[in-house]
Structures are given as C-alpha cells and as structure tokens.
Amino acid sequence: MADNNNINNNSDDDVYTVDMFQQNGNSNSFSVDDDGRPQRTGTVWTASAHIITAVIGSGVLSLAWAIAQLGWVAGPIVMLFFSFVIYYTSGLLADCYRSADPDSGKRNYTYTDAVRSNLGGVKVKLCGFVQYLNLFGVAVGYTIAASISMMAIKRSDCFHKNGEKNPCKMSSNPYMILFGITQIIFSQIPDFDQIWWLSILAAIMSFTYSSIGLVLGITKVVANGTFKGSINGIAINGTTITKTVKIWRSFQALGDIAFAYSYSIILIEIQDTIKSPPSESKTMKKATLISIGVTTTFYILCGCMGYGAFGDSSPGNLLTGFGFFNPFWLLNIANAAIVVHLVGAYQVFCQPLFAFVEKWAAKKWPDSNIINKKVSIPLIPCYKLNMFRLVWRSSFVVMTTAVAMLLPFFNDVAGILGAMGFWPLTVYFPVEMYIVQKKVEKWSRKWVCLQMLSLFCLLITALAAVGSIAGVMNDL
C-alpha cells in the first residue's frame, strides 16, 4: 500500500476511456458521462441486485446459530440494530460518492477515492489496507462456504445410496479446488459493470436457498408442535457449555451477524454503475432501503425459524441441521443454489480489488505490453485477453483457495471477517467523511451523536473479534 496515494485518484483516465470505447464499439453509438467515461446504465434495480447479492450470502446460514447464542430477545434486537446501522451509514457513504456537490461534484470511483477526497493522509492507506484485506477474507470465507454446500450434496447422495451405516467421509479440498477453478474463469470478466447478469442470477439463487431454509424451518417447527429455544439462549450446563464458552460464543455471534450484513466495502463501486439523473446518491439510498428491508426480513425469519426448529442444537450451517432425510432433493437444490450464489458474490466483492491492482500496475508501468496490451482470441472475438489480468487474478484465486484449505472453519472465519470490517469500513470512515463533507461542527449535537455511534460500534467490533479468535483457537 506504499503507493496508495498515487492510485485511484479522480483524474480523468484517458487510457481507460479509450479502452472502453474500443470494447463497446463505435464511439458515436453511445454518449459519455460528465467524467468522459461511457455512460453508466445502472438503475435502482441493478444496484439492489448487486447489494442483495453481496448481503444475502452464506452469512444467512449461521444466523440461527447466532440467535441460539443470544436468545429470543437479544438475538432479533441485535439483528435489527445492525440493519439500522448499515442502512444509516450507507446513506452517509452514498453522499460521499461525489465530492462537494452531490449532483455535479467530482466522482469518487472507489471507497478509497472517497476517503482520499474527504480525509486524506494516512487514513487513505489505512482504509485501503483494511478494505482489501477484508475483500481477501471474504473470498476465503465464500470458498469455504461453497465447499461445505458441495460436500453436503455429495454426502446426501452417498447417504441415500449406501444407507445410514456409511459415514460418507470426504475431504473438502477437491471441492474448494473446483470452486477456485470456476472463479479463475469468471474473474476474467474485465469490469465490475459487466457482471450485472451474474449479480441478478446470484440474487435469485440467494432467495432460493434462503426460502428453502425458511420453509424447512417452519415445517420442522410445525412438526415439533412448539418453538424451541429460550429467552437467554443456550443454557450453561457446566460441561460442554461453560460460562466462559457462553461468553465467547455470544461475542462471536455479533461477528457472524455483522458479516451477514456487510457490503459497505463495495458500496461506492456499486454506486459508480448508476446512471443519472436523478443523482446517484438518491438512487443508491433507495436501493439500500429496498435491499436492507428485504434482507432484514429474510434474516429475521430464517434466523428465528431456524432457532425455533432446533433450539440449543442450532447448527452453524442451517441447512446441515436437517440431516440427509427427505426431502433430500430439496436440500440438494438449496445447497446448489448456495454454490451458484457464491460464484457471483465472490466476483461482486473481488472485482474492485482486481481493478485496484490493475490500475496501479498500469500507472506504475505505462509502457509494459504485458500489463497494458490486450489480445484478441480467435474463438471469442469480442473478448480481449490481457496477460497481466490473467496471471494476477488467477494468482489471487489460487491464494484464497489455499488459505481456505488451511482454515476450513466457516463460522469462526465469518465472525472474524464481520468484526474486521464492521467498524472501520461500515461506521468509522462513513461517519468521518460525512462530518468533513457536510462541515458538521465539532461538539454539536449531531457530531456528538455520530461519535457515540462510532464508539459503540467499535466496542461491538472488539468483542466480536475476541470471541471469533477464541473460536478459531478452539477449533484448531
């Protein structure tokens, strides 16, 4: 990150613009935006699809477990709190897409650009480090989650083919490698705005498996004839669940819920795909309201019904709690939907990181053919192959796959990721940028309230990190 101040600045990028014109055909066939780039075409619905793809991810599967640690009262309250904070701070961040004037100000193409324009200094490097480390971690978490779902399908088929006595043991490594190979292929899509179709498909898949989990949870509650669980969550029994373990797990549950809601790290990149008028911030706020409203409803239903179905024995992955019994084909569909969704979600999160490194390399070595030259492929004439993009993105996928194979503990990894990204990226930087941009007077009522919100969320982040790290150490 040493050269962070020299990258992603907001000056017009002539090379980028010319390249986009070449990709899209004749320059007279479409108009350009105020920054000279091809006109953006995103709408409130495409933005909502991107957000839902990013938010309703594998994190939804651990919500029943999280509520089981917190109980019937604290669990839903914590989920509503996170949804409010995410919605509120996303609005603050959306106002930072353009500097000065929200309608005609200078565009900030990435989260780091927004921090540079409003805060500058060492905070830019800090933001870039935390953001891209979090994106790397999300890629690792999604690789683990996808392999778990693929294994669930294989074990279900094995169980029904060979009977109950066969343990159907298997390694997750081949499935992680398969997921990685798929990501290497999809990672060659050049730009974020070109994966809108993948986001919509992934959003549909997320609703599919969330709905199946919800329906199965309701069915099990009906079959049980009652809602399991208690007000205080899992009871301390002095053996497997000691008071200390209860505390650590409660803290980890905070991280799991934070991870389930995280998407602020790519909000600016999503906003940069939106057309105007109306202003991008207005459209983004509307898309955020729709998306957070939909996801919160799903989260509370899935989490509460999962806890009501399994009580203290709620699994870390909701779908695995239903075992391998009928309707096993429905569980297979749900797990397949998870895999398809995570293929898209992986790209939604990683495309900004891919673009960051490629822009930095292009500016660092502007005369390098390996970095800047694009070659036509005979079998795919519309696609331009870039060697640096091929090597860099493939290497990134290989690294995330290797780390996932070393740490296949999804719940703990999700908790750490949620803790690591929640306060700095979702709360601290949006609050600080908003204060600077809107010139909020120090020690005014609004300034004090914003700082209190930031400090409270910092405390939650610290507790979640401690609980999740304790969980990893225990699993290791």
Side-chain angles (χ1 to χ4, degrees):
M1 301 304 296
D3 296 311
N4 210 32
N5 285 322
N6 297 322
I7 14 182
N8 281 339
N9 53 31
N10 290 333
S11 59
D12 290 342
D13 191 340
D14 295 332
V15 175
Y16 174 90
T17 305
V18 171
D19 178 62
M20 287 298 294
F21 270 69
Q22 291 174 345
Q23 289 184 24
N24 289 279
N26 193 318
S27 62
N28 295 324
S29 63
F30 60 93
S31 57
V32 297
D33 276 329
D34 55 354
D35 58 347
R37 296 191 176 190
Q39 191 171 44
R40 293 154 177 84
T41 58
T43 65
V44 65
W45 300 114
T46 60
S48 297
H50 282 313
I51 295 172
I52 290 172
T53 298
V55 178
I56 300 186
S58 52
V60 69
L61 302 175
S62 65
L63 292 179
W65 180 90
I67 292 182
Q69 314 312 310
L70 300 172
W72 276 117
V73 176
I77 289 176
V78 169
M79 291 179 67
L80 289 173
F81 168 77
F82 274 100
S83 66
F84 168 77
V85 171
I86 294 289
Y87 171 69
Y88 180 72
T89 57
S90 294
L92 303 182
L93 188 56
D95 286 334
C96 298
Y97 171 66
R98 287 182 181 267
S99 299
D101 189 276
D103 296 318
S104 59
K106 200 173 187 180
R107 295 176 186 265
N108 297 307
Y109 301 121
T110 67
Y111 195 118
T112 308
D113 287 343
V115 174
R116 177 180 293 108
S117 297
N118 291 282
L119 301 178
V122 70
K123 291 182 179 179
V124 179
K125 294 181 179 180
L126 178 62
C127 171
F129 175 77
V130 174
Q131 183 187 13
Y132 297 124
L133 179 63
N134 195 264
L135 289 174
F136 181 87
V138 167
V140 172
Y142 281 177
T143 302
I144 296 171
S147 70
I148 290 173
S149 292
M150 286 188 277
M151 286 175 62
I153 295 173
K154 183 67 176 177
R155 291 186 65 196
S156 175
D157 293 340
C158 172
F159 180 89
H160 285 89
K161 181 179 180 180
N162 300 318
E164 190 173 337
K165 294 182 180 180
N166 191 326
C168 299
K169 292 182 179 180
M170 62 189 68
S171 169
S172 62
N173 290 347
Y175 300 97
M176 291 186 185
I177 293 172
L178 178 61
F179 184 78
I181 292 172
T182 304
Q183 291 303 337
I184 288 176
I185 296 171
F186 279 102
S187 68
Q188 298 309 310
I189 299 174
D191 300 297
F192 188 82
D193 59 351
Q194 295 178 12
I195 64 169
W196 61 269
W197 59 273
L198 190 58
S199 282
I200 291 176
L201 175 62
I204 293 172
M205 293 297 102
S206 66
F207 279 119
T208 299
Y209 69 74
S210 298
S211 299
I212 291 174
L214 176 59
V215 169
L216 290 176
I218 294 173
T219 303
K220 191 167 181 64
V221 168
V222 172
N224 294 337
T226 183
F227 280 89
K228 293 185 177 182
S230 64
I231 293 178
N232 298 320
I234 293 178
I236 300 172
N237 57 26
T239 53
T240 56
I241 304 297
T242 63
K243 187 175 182 179
T244 302
V245 171
K246 168 76 172 178
I247 293 173
W248 291 145
R249 287 189 177 184
S250 296
F251 290 165
Q252 185 183 335
L254 299 177
D256 283 359
I257 295 174
F259 174 72
Y261 274 106
S262 62
Y263 84 99
S264 297
I265 52 178
I266 57 168
L267 184 145
I268 296 292
E269 284 81 354
I270 292 175
Q271 193 166 341
D272 191 46
T273 66
I274 296 174
K275 64 182 179 181
S276 61
S279 69
E280 298 88 354
S281 63
K282 289 181 179 178
T283 302
M284 194 64 191
K285 288 176 182 178
K286 186 176 180 180
T288 299
L289 178 61
I290 293 172
S291 305
I292 296 298
V294 170
T295 54
T296 300
T297 301
F298 258 79
Y299 279 2
I300 290 179
L301 287 173
C302 289
C304 290
M305 283 300 171
Y307 182 42
F310 297 103
D312 289 356
S313 60
S314 294
N317 181 331
L318 177 61
L319 292 177
T320 63
F322 297 102
F324 303 111
F325 298 95
N326 292 322
F328 76 95
W329 57 268
L330 189 59
L331 286 170
N332 286 352
I333 291 175
N335 280 299
I338 291 174
V339 175
V340 175
H341 169 260
L342 292 176
V343 169
Y346 187 106
Q347 291 302 315
V348 167
F349 273 98
C350 292
Q351 283 285 341
L353 177 56
F354 294 156
F356 165 80
V357 172
E358 286 157 19
K359 286 183 66 178
W360 173 81
K363 291 183 179 182
K364 188 76 173 178
W365 298 284
D367 300 323
S368 172
N369 287 333
I370 294 177
I371 293 174
N372 297 297
K373 187 176 180 181
K374 297 179 181 178
V375 182
S376 297
I377 300 177
L379 297 177
I380 316 175
C382 61
Y383 181 77
K384 304 290 184 181
L385 176 67
N386 176 266
M387 286 305 299
F388 179 75
R389 182 173 64 215
L390 176 64
V391 173
W392 144 239
R393 297 189 180 191
S394 299
S395 300
F396 174 87
V397 174
V398 170
M399 286 189 292
T400 59
T401 304
V403 174
M405 291 165 68
L406 293 173
L407 294 172
F409 316 124
F410 175 68
N411 259 34
D412 301 325
V413 170
I416 291 175
L417 292 174
M420 184 171 62
F422 175 64
W423 177 72
L425 299 174
T426 302
V427 181
Y428 174 74
F429 284 116
V431 165
E432 293 299 312
M433 287 191 289
Y434 180 82
I435 288 174
V436 171
Q437 189 171 67
K438 300 300 181 182
K439 297 179 174 61
V440 179
E441 187 178 349
K442 195 172 184 179
W443 299 113
S444 64
R445 180 182 297 178
K446 190 167 190 178
W447 186 90
V448 171
C449 289
L450 288 171
Q451 295 298 338
M452 288 178 63
L453 173 65
S454 183
L455 287 173
F456 184 69
C457 291
L458 172 60
L459 175 62
I460 291 177
T461 289
L463 296 177
V466 170
S468 299
I469 291 172
V472 169
M473 297 302 294
N474 182 62
D475 285 343
L476 286 173

